[in-house]
Amino acid sequence: MVACTCGCGEDELTKQLDKVIDEYRGQPSGLIQVLTKAQNLIGYLPLWVQTRIAKGLGVSLQEVYGVVTFYAFFSLIPRGRHKIAVCAGTACYVKGSKTVLKTLREVLGVKEGQTTPDSRFTVEVVRCIGACGLAPAMIIDGKDVHGRLEPEQIPGILEQYA
Amino acid sequence: MINLTIDNRKVAVEEGSTILEAAKSVGINIPTLCYLKDINVIGACRICLVDVKGARTFIPSCVAPVSEGMVVNTHTPNLIKARKLVLELILSDHPMECLTCKRNGNCELQKLAEEFGLSEIRFEGAKTEYPIDDSSPALIRDPRKCILCRRCISVCTNIQSVQALTVENRGFNSLVAPAFNEKLANMECVQCGQCSLVCPTGAIVEQDDTDKVWAALADPKKHVVVQTAPATRVQIGETIGAEPGTIATGQMVAGLRSLGFDKVFDTDFSADLTILEEGNELLQRVTTGGVLPMITSCSPGWIKFIEHFYPDLLPHLSTCKSPQQMFGALAKTYYAQKEGIDPKDIYSVSIMPCTAKKYECQRPEMFSSGYQDVDVVLTTRELGRMFKQSGMSMTNLPEEEYDAPLGISTGAGELFGASGGVMEAALRTVYEVVTGKELEDINFTACRGITGVKEATVNVGDLPVSVAITNGLGNARKVLDKIRAGEAGYHFIEVMCCPGGCIGGGGSPIPTNLDVRLKRIDAVYTEDERMVLRKSHQNPAVQDLYAEFLEKPLGHKSHELLHTHYTERDHYPKEEC
Ligand code: SF4
Ligand code: SF4
Ligand code: SF4
Ligand code: FES
Ligand code: FES
């Protein structure tokens, strides 16, 4: 679904967002619920969405933004279908997580905290994922651990994710 | 009462007190950073740790309540070590720029570092780099110097109910800023500067405009005039170490003259003028069925607040400009004509206890003379800085008098410095003008004091006039909500943006806390009592002004120069299509 990013209220997505907001209109206590639903609907929480929610619930934008940036669950950027979490824990750092990130950048064209234009991957950097024996490691979609990474393996690994 | 032992001393305090308060009651000082009495009590920084017998870890004393039989130590060797560690961790991510910092010499962090005798920082931490935000005409934010104590957020959210700041992200990436790290100038921030008063460091400071004033003073072509706000004379002494509550009117005038100002005038004069315009506006509204309650409009932070948050109530605002801006408009018209000076050569400076005044003087409505009416605003802190830079010792100066005519004032004008003062000054004049009788007691004590919302009813002849007075924007909100709900039966409301009124403004000397505010308020009333004339309508210079130039209150010239209009503002960033 294409979203008009201005929140003028004309497009379908904005109308659906307004339905979510309407349930809690004027009720600051509903903030987390509304943010959760809005993120499920739109995939992320850009400025126009947060502003619309702030207005609808009658809270300041600072309140909304503070909550959004506090919980890791919420995202300010569009999320890809697959989340690549590169470990930057001590063991992985020593064994070359920098190289892993650099390779990902070369292959996918995005840096940490970014999503590929085709919405396939989002790249993030995380703390130790408990696979230090396999350093350097990354974990995809929160479940598939790929360890002892060599740059030349990476394109092959990524191909497994459509 | 709860009995406990602190540092081997028996202490009895009320139940619910914190260990910090209990220690303070017997003169034991525990260092604090994030703690701000009644405003920010969150136990975040951990500098106030104490050793409680039987507890597994050290306890932050600012949030821990006392309990019966508790045994507390406030400075064991291990505690000192722990506090040093906290300090070192803060400093490992702090730019060491004291020499060029606005808070050099008056910084809580610097003071602690000195007290603990830190000689090295053992942690070579990564430093967070954030750009400085100088978008606002009033304030500068330098997040690099922020220690994440959140005092500013508490004041802005809980006292001012603006909430222009928040903590974003977590851990090392935490940042105190408006949402999306947006520039302050683009937000609903009302420029009140209360955040700069409570910040323990140099992370939020006033814009410094002293260079502009030095340049004007050095320019022989400029006729430089200055006006001083009512509150400044009861504050300026503090910038050179005098006790809060010291009145230094005469010394300040002398000091300004020796800095080189051509004329030293007084905002108290235009405060008197405001009373005549505003008092007549009130009477007009009462007699012709105009919008009531009428609300005062002297406080620019308050104006920006209502424009953002209650634009539907703008018709309630008096159309009178603030005394600063009335003065500005007259200096470049009336005074210029009277003295035969080309207004383009006049440079108009004002000394204010306020950061929002810096914003006010740049508003597009404030060019009624054909020029920017007030060229530059300095806070009391900045004037203190100029005095220091000039090497002048204000205390040793003989007292001098303000210049005529724009420096002649009454005690009523001086009252504008404290919450309730505009109301009291207005009542003194409205009563006498309406009834034609002299007031037996001109002291309207019901208007005075620091209470958040004050109410009174005053009989003006047969008309019972019902008034309300608020200070601090969170309190203003309470009264505004009443108006919205149709439950406010008042005729006249005074709103001052800052707690306690202008004497507690965001440009005041630091520290400004409750005790200091109360002392300054006392000084304002003392100053009023010292004046020969204490009612605005008796001000001879104001009378001359009407006779020679304005003709009458609310007349044509008044409307042109002394009145203004307001602008509805959104308080969310624009959604553009
Ligand atoms: S905020 Fe305080 S410690 Fe930091 S540079 Fe300024 S004066 Fe020094
Ligand atoms: S100036 Fe006032 S409104 Fe603006 S951030 Fe500071 S406290 Fe909040
Ligand atoms: S800006 Fe100042 S008051 Fe606000 S959190 Fe940072 S150090 Fe504390
Ligand atoms: S450091 Fe990477 S898995 Fe532990
Ligand atoms: S002063 Fe107690 S935790 Fe900061």
Side-chain angles (χ1 to χ4, degrees):
Chain A
M1 205 174 325
V2 184
C4 156
T5 54
C6 77
C8 60
E10 299 300 313
D11 67 307
E12 194 47 37
L13 197 56
T14 312
K15 283 187 192 139
Q16 291 187 21
L17 174 64
D18 281 348
K19 254 191 227 138
V20 171
I21 296 173
D22 276 340
E23 260 181 79
Y24 297 90
R25 200 160 284 281
Q27 299 173 36
S29 58
L31 181 57
I32 303 234
Q33 283 93 319
V34 175
L35 287 173
T36 309
K37 289 187 181 177
Q39 166 136 325
N40 288 339
L41 178 70
I42 296 162
Y44 70 115
L45 299 166
L47 174 63
W48 73 268
V49 174
Q50 291 189 39
T51 304
R52 210 160 177 91
I53 293 174
K55 267 190 192 170
L57 270 55
V59 298
S60 91
L61 184 62
Q62 277 61 246
E63 176 88 31
V64 176
Y65 188 72
V67 169
V68 169
T69 57
F70 183 80
Y71 294 103
F73 169 75
F74 296 123
S75 176
L76 289 169
I77 52 158
R79 288 259 172 98
R81 289 191 295 284
H82 303 287
K83 181 170 120 184
I84 306 174
V86 179
C87 177
T90 315
C92 292
Y93 187 83
V94 172
K95 294 265 182 144
S97 45
K98 278 232 166 99
T99 321
V100 176
L101 274 172
K102 186 165 159 261
T103 314
L104 284 172
R105 184 153 68 232
E106 282 160 11
V107 177
L108 298 175
V110 293
K111 296 192 289 197
E112 64 167 290
Q114 293 183 338
T115 298
T116 55
D118 61 0
S119 296
R120 199 165 140 220
F121 292 106
T122 300
V123 179
E124 281 175 11
V125 173
V126 295
R127 309 240 169 238
C128 176
I129 55 173
C132 310
L134 299 175
M138 65 182 185
I139 180 166
I140 299 188
D141 292 341
K143 52 185 192 344
D144 309 342
V145 175
H146 301 274
R148 303 214 177 89
L149 291 167
E150 299 290 340
E152 50 284 6
Q153 299 172 330
I154 288 180
I157 294 174
L158 296 181
E159 261 166 42
Q160 302 165 27
Y161 298 87
Chain B
M1 286 305 240
I2 303 281
N3 299 292
L4 68 161
T5 312
I6 304 179
D7 295 346
N8 299 321
R9 287 162 70 180
K10 298 264 174 268
V11 186
V13 285
E14 267 175 51
E15 194 174 347
S17 308
T18 59
I19 299 177
L20 181 73
E21 287 162 343
K24 195 159 189 200
S25 73
V26 290
I28 298 171
N29 277 321
I30 302 170
T32 56
L33 260 181
C34 67
Y35 172 81
L36 199 63
K37 194 172 182 312
D38 302 328
I39 294 173
N40 199 45
V41 186
I42 58 172
C45 75
R46 311 260 139 182
I47 198 83
C48 66
L49 295 174
V50 293
D51 187 341
V52 175
K53 201 167 168 193
R56 282 184 16 251
T57 53
F58 292 147
I59 305 233
S61 61
C62 68
V63 286
V66 294
S67 62
E68 189 60 37
M70 202 178 226
V71 178
V72 180
N73 268 301
T74 68
H75 51 256
T76 64
N78 278 341
L79 272 177
I80 309 268
K81 249 200 201 152
R83 288 196 193 122
K84 271 196 176 171
L85 181 68
V86 169
L87 257 188
E88 279 183 83
L89 284 170
I90 294 174
L91 290 175
S92 70
D93 185 20
H94 191 87
M96 310 291 191
E97 294 172 3
C98 298
L99 287 180
T100 51
C101 182
K102 286 270 129 54
R103 292 295 293 272
N104 189 9
N106 189 11
C107 167
E108 293 181 36
L109 182 61
Q110 188 188 46
K111 184 157 168 274
L112 281 176
E114 189 239 311
E115 283 172 6
F116 280 89
L118 286 192
S119 49
E120 56 163 355
I121 309 298
R122 283 170 295 170
F123 313 100
E124 222 359 279
K127 305 238 182 210
T128 30
E129 278 304 326
Y130 291 108
I132 289 173
D133 174 8
D134 60 359
S135 61
S136 146
L139 297 160
I140 300 180
R141 287 177 46 243
D142 185 348
R144 300 170 313 140
K145 294 180 185 163
C146 172
I147 59 168
L148 303 172
C149 71
R150 304 184 186 211
R151 289 178 178 189
C152 55
I153 298 176
S154 292
V155 135
C156 186
T157 305
N158 304 329
I159 306 292
Q160 297 300 56
S161 73
V162 173
Q163 203 175 0
L165 300 168
T166 186
V167 186
E168 320 182 350
N169 310 316
R170 287 167 302 169
F172 181 70
N173 293 321
S174 298
L175 167 69
V176 169
F180 293 88
N181 199 12
E182 186 46 82
K183 289 188 166 26
L184 209 50
N186 302 339
M187 305 304 284
E188 63 268 48
C189 162
V190 303
Q191 324 268 350
C192 70
Q194 286 301 310
C195 49
S196 72
L197 273 190
V198 300
C199 181
T201 72
I204 306 183
V205 295
E206 70 282 354
Q207 285 275 9
D208 189 324
D209 291 307
T210 52
D211 283 350
K212 291 183 195 158
V213 176
W214 282 122
L217 288 171
D219 184 344
K221 289 194 292 298
K222 290 259 181 284
H223 181 78
V224 190
V225 301
V226 62
Q227 58 169 317
T228 63
T232 51
R233 66 211 71 197
V234 303
Q235 296 187 324
I236 190 71
E238 290 168 45
T239 65
I240 51 162
E243 279 301 305
T246 302
I247 300 173
T249 317
Q251 287 91 346
M252 179 170 74
V253 172
L256 287 165
R257 221 167 255 138
S258 64
L259 285 179
F261 286 97
D262 294 299
K263 292 283 174 181
V264 182
F265 291 140
D266 199 355
T267 317
D268 287 16
F269 161 83
S270 46
D272 281 333
L273 177 63
T274 303
I275 288 301
L276 289 174
E277 291 291 327
E278 200 160 331
N280 279 292
E281 186 185 358
L282 177 65
L283 292 174
Q284 194 181 58
R285 288 193 190 209
V286 170
T287 51
T288 63
V291 179
L292 290 174
M294 186 175 90
I295 316 180
T296 57
S297 54
C298 308
S299 171
W302 148 242
I303 298 298
K304 191 159 187 278
F305 179 83
I306 184 173
E307 289 178 329
H308 280 296
F309 296 98
Y310 292 83
D312 50 311
L313 300 184
L314 285 174
H316 288 270
L317 277 184
S318 160
T319 59
C320 286
K321 283 182 186 169
S322 69
Q324 158 172 294
Q325 294 304 142
M326 285 199 184
F327 180 99
L330 289 173
K332 293 192 184 182
T333 53
Y334 171 64
Y335 170 73
Q337 280 169 31
K338 209 172 154 79
E339 296 295 307
I341 304 171
D342 187 337
K344 82 171 182 349
D345 295 330
I346 295 182
Y347 193 80
S348 184
V349 177
S350 70
I351 314 294
M352 294 282 143
C354 181
T355 48
K357 291 276 170 197
K358 288 178 183 277
Y359 149 82
E360 180 186 42
C361 79
Q362 298 179 14
R363 285 183 63 129
E365 302 90 351
M366 302 302 161
F367 288 69
S368 332
S369 62
Y371 304 88
Q372 181 169 331
D373 297 330
V374 172
D375 290 286
V376 68
V377 173
L378 299 182
T379 59
T380 311
R381 296 199 286 273
E382 290 162 271
L383 178 60
R385 206 171 289 145
M386 283 188 78
F387 282 147
K388 275 202 189 117
Q389 288 167 350
S390 71
M392 189 191 323
S393 155
M394 211 179 50
T395 16
N396 296 332
L397 294 173
E399 296 191 32
E400 289 180 16
E401 301 260 336
Y402 285 100
D403 288 306
L406 306 188
I408 292 173
S409 68
T410 74
E414 176 58 20
L415 294 185
F416 275 58
S419 168
V422 177
M423 185 60 74
E424 181 165 351
L427 289 173
R428 287 180 187 175
T429 287
V430 167
Y431 182 93
E432 297 204 347
V433 168
V434 170
T435 64
K437 285 195 234 135
E438 198 170 324
L439 273 168
E440 269 168 38
D441 182 3
I442 65 164
N443 299 311
F444 289 85
T445 44
C447 296
R448 302 183 182 180
I450 203 153
T451 312
V453 180
K454 293 169 273 189
E455 292 174 327
T457 304
V458 177
N459 287 320
V460 175
D462 330 320
L463 179 71
V465 176
S466 165
V467 305
I469 297 157
T470 78
N471 63 94
L473 293 172
N475 292 317
R477 214 179 250 278
K478 292 179 195 157
V479 173
L480 293 172
D481 287 338
K482 262 190 163 176
I483 301 180
R484 259 190 190 164
E487 290 162 8
Y490 311 114
H491 295 95
F492 192 24
I493 300 173
E494 176 201 295
V495 175
M496 290 194 191
C497 171
C498 293
C502 309
I503 51 84
S508 308
I510 296 172
T512 291
N513 52 37
L514 181 62
D515 284 352
V516 171
R517 284 185 160 101
L518 290 172
K519 287 182 182 147
R520 293 183 192 147
I521 288 174
D522 279 350
V524 165
Y525 293 106
T526 308
E527 187 70 345
D528 166 38
E529 276 163 25
R530 294 206 313 199
M531 304 291 278
V532 183
L533 297 173
R534 294 177 64 192
K535 298 170 210 163
S536 297
H537 54 286
Q538 295 174 333
N539 183 325
V542 170
Q543 289 167 354
D544 287 349
L545 168 67
Y546 278 113
E548 294 168 15
F549 186 70
L550 292 173
E551 291 173 15
K552 59 176 200 292
L554 309 183
H556 176 69
K557 270 230 166 68
S558 288
H559 272 286
E560 237 168 47
L561 296 173
L562 310 181
H563 291 256
T564 185
H565 56 271
Y566 307 104
T567 311
E568 176 167 352
R569 295 170 204 274
D570 201 348
H571 61 282
Y572 297 103
K574 276 222 176 51
E575 302 179 56
E576 274 158 17
C577 204

